[in-house]
Each structure stands twice: as structure tokens, then as C-alpha cells.
Amino acid sequence: MKRQEDIPLLLKCNTNVSTTSDKSILHHHQTSILASSPTAVSIKPIKHKRWRFKWWQKNTKQQYDTSINKKQSYWWNRIGKTFFVLTRGIEITVRLCPLIVMTPTAMLVSRCFRESTWVSDISWRYTLHTLQCLGPAFVKLGQWAATRRDLFPLHMCIRLSELQDTARVHDWKYTHQSLCEAFGQDYESSGLVVSRESILGSGSVGQVHRGTLQSNEKNIDVAVKVLHPNTKQLVQRDLALMAYIAEFIDKMIPLTIVKMLSLPRAVTNFSNVIERQVDLRVEGDNLQVFRHNFDCSDSNKRPQSITFPKPEPDWISEKVLVEEYAGDDAVPIAHYLSDNSQEGLKIRKKLAGPLLRGFLQMVFTDNFVHADLHPG
């Protein structure tokens, strides 16, 4: 007698198998499949040539249809990507074309008439305006270039630094809409009052309003950060374009230096960083981590050389972040970097110590680094 594990077994699917001694009666309208299951009932081999042929034929047809669908989906995807790259490339080219004439003209006028800078001013205004029109990814690129004075000329970094805090602002209508979507139509009755006119600053992905929040029966000053309209969609669009171009260059140019650059991986890393910046919930969580690492809790009464604003726990969403207001006496660090007087140099030396210790703590102790592209 054969062992049970050596005998083909029958695994029944949504059917009932009645057994009589060593035989099993399988109704023709029931569906069964062969398997090696210790709980199934063993049966004698039955002729299923015709049934197997039909099953094989049906499965082959399904695989064939699936293969056709995959090919069609692949080609439609390729066509869509190609159309997207062409249209976006044409848009970028059209917007940047005037710089082909304006840049050399500004350089020529500046050399011939050293006191005349109006052509250069117009060229840079158009450049900054174009970068903002092209979307958040290009603004981030300009912000990054402004911080790399080791790679780009000083005057270029100074001009591009305007993108760090003086980017275009959006209309109050969209701010109100974002607040209603995040906290409901009655957010003002819940304690949050946002000032329309008092815009503290505007960056590549959002702008900051000043407001007040009623907390524990007292009003506190807060900063309300709101994303610009369609920020997430615009970022995803440009990141998809960068990924497509990087993949194309990596495959079509068989040079060692191109392979060493690993452009697809670089775009992937850049995408991971940028995509996290368009979700203000991530920023709120990061602020909580920084406050914990630098002991900025409310219970700590000792003065801290480095502090981080406190996000309000019940007022955080994907598009809106309400956090503690730093105060009217806060001075951007960029102000001290541009002050070359004796007093400015003394202040820089005084600031260097705590900033260096804070940076070393982030890198070597906490492994959690503040890496925004704003110098303060």
C-alpha cells in the first residue's frame, strides 16, 4: 500500500467530495485541482485529456491577451512620456530663449558702460521670473545654486538668493481654501486667525502668514505655512521629466564619465528629498525630532543657543503647517553674512561656536541633519 504523501491528492475548491471506502465521487459540475495537501482525499487517476486541453487552451488565450495588453500599455506609456517631454521641453525652451539675447547684451553693456546696470537688472529679473514660472523644481535648483559660491560667481549667487525668501506669493483665496480643506470651514471659530496682509516670506513650495491661535485660554502668535497651488503636481511633473532625461542620457551615451555620474540614481535621490518637502506633515514631524534632540521642550527652562519652532499638534496637514512664531526681533543669518564691519565680524565669531557644535551634533550624534536650502 502506498504512503499517503506519495499519492496524488485532490484539493477541492468550493465543492463537497463524498467518499466511499477508497473511492471518491467527483460530480462533473464541480471544480477541482490537483495538489499535495495532507487534508485532501486521494482518488484514482481519471482521464481528463479533453478537459486539460481546454484548460490549456483557455490559459494560453488569457496569457496571449495579457501579453497584448502589456505591450499596448507599454507603447501608450512610451508615447505619453515622449509627448510630455516634447511639450515640457518646448515650454522650457520658449521661456528661456530670450536669455540667449539678453545675457550677452547685458555683459556687453556692463563692460562698455560700467556704471550702467539697467540691462543686467532687467536680465536677472526676467531670469528669476522665468524660474518661478517653470515651477518649484526650478526654484529649488536656483536656491541650490545660490548656496554654492564655490561653484558659481558671487554676483550670480547674490542674485539667485532672492529666490530663497522673496518668491512669488499666491492669492489669499487659495490660502483660505487650503485652510478650510485642512481644518474645516469654521477654523476661525476654532481659534486660528490668519492675517491676509502679513506675509512673512514666500519660498519655492509655500508662503508663510502671521496669525494668532487660541490655546489654553490665551492667544499665541503663530506662523502659518501654506503650500502654493498645485505644488505637488508640478513637482511630480518636473521630477518625471528629469528621470526620463537622465535615463535617456545614461542609456544613449556610452561614456565612462556618464556612467560614473549615475544620473538616474542622482535624480532618484533628488526626488526623494523634494517629494518630502511638499508634505508639511513630514516637516512637522522633523521639527518634533529636532526639538527632542536639542532639548527644546517646554519643561526645559534653561536658555538654549539653538531652538526650533514648536508645531501645533492639532493644526498640521499636508498643505498647512501652524507653528510657533519666532518673534519680531528675529534676524536672518544672511544679514550677518553680508555685514563686513567690525561689529559684524564679532557677531559672526560669536555665532560660529554654537552653530558649529549644533552641526556636529546633527551629523555625528543624532544622524539627523537640517539641510534646507535657506541660509536662515
Side-chain angles (χ1 to χ4, degrees):
M1 184 176 180
K2 294 184 179 180
R3 293 182 302 173
Q4 186 175 357
E5 57 266 25
D6 296 333
I7 301 175
L9 302 177
L10 180 69
L11 181 61
K12 182 168 56 66
C13 300
N14 297 327
T15 58
N16 294 320
V17 176
S18 60
T19 62
T20 57
S21 65
D22 293 336
K23 296 183 179 181
S24 300
I25 301 174
L26 180 65
H27 297 288
H28 69 278
H29 63 274
Q30 294 173 335
T31 305
S32 305
I33 59 174
L34 289 175
S36 57
S37 172
T39 59
V41 182
S42 62
I43 62 173
K44 292 182 179 180
I46 356 180
K47 295 182 179 181
H48 279 302
K49 292 183 180 179
R50 187 176 180 182
W51 179 81
R52 287 180 181 175
F53 174 76
K54 287 185 177 181
W55 173 85
W56 173 82
Q57 190 180 31
K58 182 179 179 181
N59 186 55
T60 305
K61 185 178 179 181
Q62 289 179 350
Q63 291 179 350
Y64 180 73
D65 293 342
T66 304
S67 177
I68 292 178
N69 292 335
K70 286 184 177 179
K71 288 182 179 179
Q72 291 178 350
S73 176
Y74 170 78
W75 284 111
W76 277 115
N77 188 29
R78 297 289 295 183
I79 293 173
K81 283 186 176 180
T82 304
F83 177 76
F84 162 72
V85 171
L86 289 176
T87 54
R88 182 60 173 162
I90 292 173
E91 179 188 359
I92 295 172
T93 303
V94 170
R95 290 186 179 276
L96 295 179
C97 266
L99 294 176
I100 299 176
V101 178
M102 298 175 68
T103 301
T105 303
M107 295 175 62
L108 181 62
V109 171
S110 299
R111 288 185 179 182
C112 297
F113 308 96
R114 296 190 178 275
E115 296 182 358
S116 178
T117 59
W118 63 273
V119 180
S120 179
D121 292 339
I122 293 176
S123 300
W124 276 109
R125 287 180 183 177
Y126 180 80
T127 302
L128 298 178
H129 174 75
T130 302
L131 290 176
Q132 295 180 64
C133 291
L134 289 175
F138 287 87
V139 177
K140 281 292 181 185
L141 186 63
Q143 291 178 350
W144 169 81
T147 62
R148 298 305 305 267
R149 300 192 178 191
D150 56 327
L151 298 178
F152 303 104
L154 178 60
H155 71 278
M156 178 178 175
C157 295
I158 293 175
R159 295 279 192 173
L160 292 176
S161 63
E162 297 181 19
L163 295 172
Q164 294 167 348
D165 294 302
T166 58
R168 288 194 307 173
V169 299
H170 60 253
D171 190 61
W172 164 256
K173 180 180 178 181
Y174 181 80
T175 297
H176 178 69
Q177 178 183 348
S178 299
L179 290 169
C180 292
E181 291 176 357
F183 310 124
Q185 298 287 342
D186 57 343
Y187 67 89
E188 291 187 349
S189 60
S190 299
L192 178 63
V193 179
V194 183
S195 177
R196 300 189 180 190
E197 291 78 15
S198 59
I199 299 178
L200 301 176
S202 181
S204 59
V205 299
Q207 65 187 38
V208 182
H209 293 258
R210 183 175 178 178
T212 58
L213 178 64
Q214 186 176 5
S215 178
N216 297 328
E217 298 182 354
K218 64 177 182 179
N219 292 333
I220 59 175
D221 293 330
V222 293
V224 183
K225 184 175 182 179
V226 183
L227 291 183
H228 291 310
N230 303 320
T231 298
K232 189 173 184 178
Q233 291 78 2
L234 293 173
V235 167
Q236 291 176 346
R237 176 195 65 181
D238 289 332
L239 291 179
L241 174 64
M242 294 179 185
Y244 186 86
I245 295 176
E247 183 180 357
F248 178 81
I249 294 175
D250 188 69
K251 289 183 178 180
M252 299 303 296
I253 304 180
L255 297 178
T256 305
I257 188 171
V258 175
K259 301 298 181 182
M260 291 176 61
L261 291 174
S262 186
L263 293 178
R265 180 184 297 180
V267 172
T268 301
N269 294 336
F270 181 72
S271 301
N272 293 335
V273 174
I274 297 301
E275 286 177 348
R276 291 172 62 85
Q277 292 191 12
V278 297
D279 189 346
L280 297 183
R281 294 171 297 186
V282 176
E283 183 173 339
D285 294 339
N286 292 341
L287 286 174
Q288 294 285 20
V289 175
F290 280 123
R291 287 179 60 82
H292 172 74
N293 293 342
F294 284 84
D295 197 15
C296 300
S297 60
D298 297 333
S299 59
N300 184 13
K301 302 301 181 181
R302 295 178 301 173
Q304 299 291 324
S305 57
I306 297 179
T307 61
F308 292 86
K310 175 186 175 182
E312 298 298 330
D314 299 329
W315 297 90
I316 301 175
S317 71
E318 183 180 2
K319 295 182 179 181
V320 183
L321 172 63
V322 180
E323 61 185 31
E324 179 185 6
Y325 180 56
D328 296 328
D329 56 344
V331 180
I333 195 173
H335 173 77
Y336 300 108
L337 295 177
S338 60
D339 186 4
N340 295 321
S341 63
Q342 291 294 329
E343 186 64 23
L345 295 177
K346 289 181 181 180
I347 295 177
R348 283 193 219 174
K349 187 175 181 179
K350 188 177 181 180
L351 291 174
L355 290 177
L356 179 59
R357 286 191 294 270
F359 175 75
L360 295 177
Q361 176 182 336
M362 292 180 188
V363 175
F364 296 105
T365 304
D366 304 330
N367 192 27
F368 198 78
V369 181
H370 187 283
D372 200 359
L373 296 176
H374 298 262

